[in-house]
Each structure stands twice: as structure tokens, then as C-alpha cells.
Amino acid sequence: MTMMMAAFLVLAILLLLLFLLCFPRQFKPHLHIPSLHGKHVLITGGSSGIGLALAHHCLLQGSYVTLIARNADRLSQAAQSLVHGNLSTSASGVNGHSAQYSKDRILLKAADVSDAAAMSNAIAESFSWRPIDVLVCNAGTSVNGLFDDMKISDLETVTRINLLGCVYTIYAALPLMKARSKRHPSSIVIVSSLSGLLFVYGANMYSATKHALKGLAEVLRFELLSDNIKVSLVCPGFTETPLLDLADKHVIEGNKIFFYDRDYAEAAKVVAAKTMEGVKQGKFLITTSAAGLMVRILARGFTPAESLSDALLEIFLLVPLRVATHVWFPFAKRLIKKQQKQGLNFKE
Ligand SMILES: NC(=O)c1ccc[n+]([C@@H]2O[C@H](COP(=O)([O-])OP(=O)(O)OC[C@H]3O[C@@H](n4cnc5c(N)ncnc54)[C@H](OP(=O)(O)O)[C@@H]3O)[C@@H](O)[C@H]2O)c1
């Protein structure tokens, strides 16, 4: 067994070296967008959490931002907090910051991503303010529970916002972005989740829509190859934002499968910084934590690693991680069955 694994590793390394010799450009560090300074970044779900942290990060780099969300008051409050430099963790999921930005660099649009016509208008208006360089589809929501306990309307809401909201946003922006992207490298950023790469028990439609976003991102990535528009799929783990209040409400009592522990949630500003770093590099699959790295290796699928260090890491970790799934899976099944026997369901 050990001999076989060693032989496999040696073979993998030899294949990688051969690949490097044949396609050296594949692993050359290359910045798709060298700087965010002066770029226009449109962020859906920009009034809170990860979206607001992305706005803060981009403004700090000298970008212009359009923030889209449904609630106009919360959008104004978010813009005020950016302008006056008083973002607070409790309201936004972003640690406090003291930088202040001119309000001329921020455009607010109240619109619902699940309304195709509203998104078409909002994006056209944003584009006429400044051409969009980076389009971030970040708005999202979750209704947690066991599948057959959920209302049809909840299943539909999550699908409309998480999946169709992203589809409508890209559909409205793409023709406008394509018209200039050959001369101006552009990016589409789709915010999925680690639950878009592995199942999360109790987050059925959330997990399903986030998986669907991976499919959408893969297709678009190839469709837009000759348009100079890179597609990035961002998969953060649990992140300290108001969205976790929903998880708190619905977390299963005693549940260990969910891996949910708010104390270990990632900080929104770290997720934002890692996201934009990956976008600048034109990376396709962006994870933001150590757990994310492991899941990314297991669930990457057809997409190859995007840097030499990633490729080497994957080659060394793939087999041990695959073995680990054989230990973890029966454990997970036992735990879920036990919970189901005890009738431990979701809190109301
Ligand atoms: N927090 C996490 O643990 C975590 C982990 C992985 C991935 N994510 C993903 O990250 C994204 C942002 O989540 P977050 O944690 O930052 O959540 P959040 O703090 O609740 O923010 C959600 C944002 O989306 C907006 N929004 C929701 N529904 C919308 C709609 N129909 N149309 C337009 N805007 C809408 C909200 O504003 P309005 O309500 O005013 O519309 C708000 O600005 C989501 O896609 C989420 O799935 C989050």
C-alpha cells in the first residue's frame, strides 16, 4: 500500500514536471487586473457583510463602487459608514475601520437581484456612471431546515435570490462589459460558498444553489475566454456577518455535522481581501481558509490548479484527503442517523 502510494506520488511529480516543460506559461504568475485603482466594482448585496467588506477593500485600493441591495435605508447607512469611516462589526460583519472615502466614489442602487427588469435598469444606470470593470454577484440568503419541512415559497426564494439573482445580474451586465473588455481586462466574481463544494446538512436549497453557481461559473469561464473577462468563483466558509444570525436561529441542537461554530467564523474583511487578491490574479476557484483549501482540493473537479504551489500542494494532499473522507463519511452518517432517531430537528 505504502509502496503504491509512493509510486503514485513519484509518477504525479514526473507528470507535473513534464507538463511544466511543455506548458511553462501555464504557471507563470500573471496579474489579470494589476491594480484596482480607478476601477469600477459593482457589488450586489453591498450593504452588509461580505459585500460591504468588499466595498471597503476596493475603496481602500482607490476603486469606484456601486452597491446594490433591496433596502435603500440600509444602503444609505452602509455608504455613510464608508464615508465616515465607522464600520462596526455588529451591524455589518466588518471590523471597525478609520479610513474615510469621498461619497463621489460610491453609487447606490436599490434593486432586488431576483427581479430581472430591475437589475437590467440598475446595471445600465451604474454602467452609465462608469463602465464596470469587476462585477461581483454576492447577494445571497438562506432558509435552513430539513427539505420536506420547508415551505415551497422558501425553496423558491432561496433559488430566486442565490441562483437567478446571479444569472440576471450577469445577463444584464455582460453585453456592456463585452463591448470594452478586449481593451480593459474585466472580471465576473460569483460568490458561492464552501457549501457549494460539499453538502451542508440542513442548508438544502442554499447548498443546491451554491453548487449550481459552480456550474454557471465553469460554463461562463470558457464562454468568455476570448472576451478577456475572467470568471472567479469564491467559496468562503462560515463568515462573521448578519447572515449567521439565520444559521444561529436554525442550527440543529447538538449538531456536529454542520461544522458550525460562530466563534471560528472567518472575518468578512479577510474574506474580502483574499477574494480581491484572487480576482486580480484572475483565479477561477478562490477559497479563503485552511478548511477551504482542503475542500477545494477534494471538490475542484476538472479545473486544474492555478499556480505551481497549488499544484504541488494538491498532488501531496489529494490522496491523504481522499483517505480521510473514508474515515469521515461513516462517522458523519452515524451522527446524522443518531440525530434523526432522537428526533433532533431544527429549532424554530
Ligand atoms: N456569512 C457566511 O457565512 C457566508 C459563507 C459563505 C458564503 N456566503 C455568501 O456570501 C454572500 C454575502 O453573504 P453575507 O454573509 O455577507 O450576508 P449578509 O450580511 O446577510 O448580506 C446579504 C446582502 O445581500 C443583500 N440581499 C439579500 N437579498 C437580496 C436581493 N434579493 N436583492 C438584492 N440584494 C439582496 C442584503 O441587503 P438587502 O436585504 O437590503 O437586500 C445584504 O446587503 C452570500 O451570497 C452568501 O451566501 C456567506
Side-chain angles (χ1 to χ4, degrees):
M1 179 74 176
T2 328
M3 284 291 286
M4 264 179 66
M5 274 174 69
F8 174 79
L9 277 180
V10 172
L11 183 69
I13 290 170
L14 285 177
L15 280 174
L16 179 71
L17 289 175
L18 186 71
F19 183 77
L20 275 174
L21 280 176
C22 299
F23 306 101
R25 286 198 51 184
Q26 182 81 10
F27 289 104
K28 262 200 184 155
H30 161 77
L31 285 182
H32 174 60
I33 299 179
S35 164
L36 289 170
H37 190 86
K39 302 284 188 230
H40 177 195
V41 183
L42 181 144
I43 304 164
T44 68
S47 64
S48 166
I50 295 173
L52 184 54
L54 284 166
H56 173 213
H57 182 88
C58 293
L59 287 166
L60 199 61
Q61 310 269 317
S63 309
Y64 295 80
V65 296
T66 294
L67 308 182
I68 293 183
R70 290 166 300 185
N71 187 309
D73 289 341
R74 275 209 298 271
L75 268 176
S76 304
Q77 281 165 20
Q80 286 298 318
S81 67
L82 290 166
V83 170
H84 298 300
N86 58 357
L87 287 180
S88 73
T89 309
S90 53
S92 60
V94 184
N95 292 334
H97 83 102
S98 53
Q100 299 182 4
Y101 311 110
S102 153
K103 63 179 186 319
D104 301 343
R105 285 205 277 140
I106 305 171
L107 181 71
L108 306 178
K109 288 278 151 213
D112 186 336
V113 290
S114 63
D115 178 340
M119 283 314 286
S120 175
N121 287 338
I123 284 186
E125 285 168 27
S126 169
F127 209 92
S128 62
W129 179 51
R130 301 184 72 84
I132 296 166
D133 298 288
V134 181
L135 179 78
V136 186
C137 304
N138 163 76
T141 193
S142 182
V143 181
N144 301 323
L146 297 179
F147 188 74
D148 52 352
D149 287 343
M150 308 254 302
K151 291 192 220 112
I152 270 286
S153 57
D154 287 336
L155 301 175
E156 287 171 349
T157 300
V158 177
T159 308
R160 279 206 197 97
I161 296 178
N162 290 6
L163 179 58
L164 288 179
C166 186
V167 169
Y168 296 153
T169 304
I170 297 172
Y171 191 78
L174 207 46
L176 301 167
M177 290 176 80
K178 271 184 173 180
R180 65 190 286 278
S181 59
K182 290 245 167 55
R183 284 164 291 114
H184 303 276
S186 307
S187 286
I188 292 176
V189 184
I190 296 179
V191 180
S192 174
S193 162
L194 279 191
S195 51
L197 299 177
L198 86 168
F199 81 96
V200 171
Y201 185 68
N204 43 63
M205 225 42 212
Y206 182 79
S207 212
T209 52
K210 294 297 182 181
H211 272 77
L213 290 179
K214 179 169 186 270
L216 177 68
E218 299 225 19
V219 170
L220 284 175
R221 178 190 193 201
F222 286 100
E223 277 196 20
L224 301 177
L225 265 182
S226 51
D227 290 294
N228 205 17
I229 301 177
K230 295 262 187 193
V231 177
S232 296
L233 181 76
V234 187
C235 298
F238 290 113
T239 306
E240 185 47 61
T241 73
L243 189 70
L244 288 193
D245 297 342
L246 292 178
D248 275 346
K249 226 169 76 183
H250 292 110
V251 74
I252 307 169
E253 289 172 39
N255 180 5
K256 299 275 184 292
I257 299 300
F258 216 155
F259 292 119
Y260 175 68
D261 186 341
R262 198 160 181 164
D263 290 343
Y264 293 97
E266 298 170 40
K269 72 173 183 183
V270 174
V271 170
K274 290 187 176 169
T275 296
M276 293 320 290
E277 206 38 57
V279 170
K280 277 167 47 183
Q281 292 169 17
K283 277 198 172 170
F284 174 69
L285 188 53
I286 301 172
T287 53
T288 54
S289 62
L293 172 73
M294 290 194 283
V295 176
R296 184 177 84 202
I297 291 172
L298 285 169
R300 181 183 272 291
F302 182 70
T303 312
E306 291 161 288
S307 70
L308 180 57
S309 53
D310 263 12
L312 288 173
L313 206 63
E314 289 194 0
I315 286 169
F316 285 110
L317 288 182
L318 186 60
V319 175
L321 284 173
R322 271 268 155 248
V323 172
T325 61
H326 288 273
V327 179
W328 178 81
F329 206 71
F331 165 76
K333 282 206 305 202
R334 238 193 353 263
L335 211 73
I336 290 178
K337 273 189 184 159
K338 193 171 142 209
Q339 285 177 347
Q340 287 170 344
K341 250 192 221 140
Q342 290 172 343
L344 287 182
N345 279 325
F346 284 82
K347 289 184 199 170
E348 276 308 310

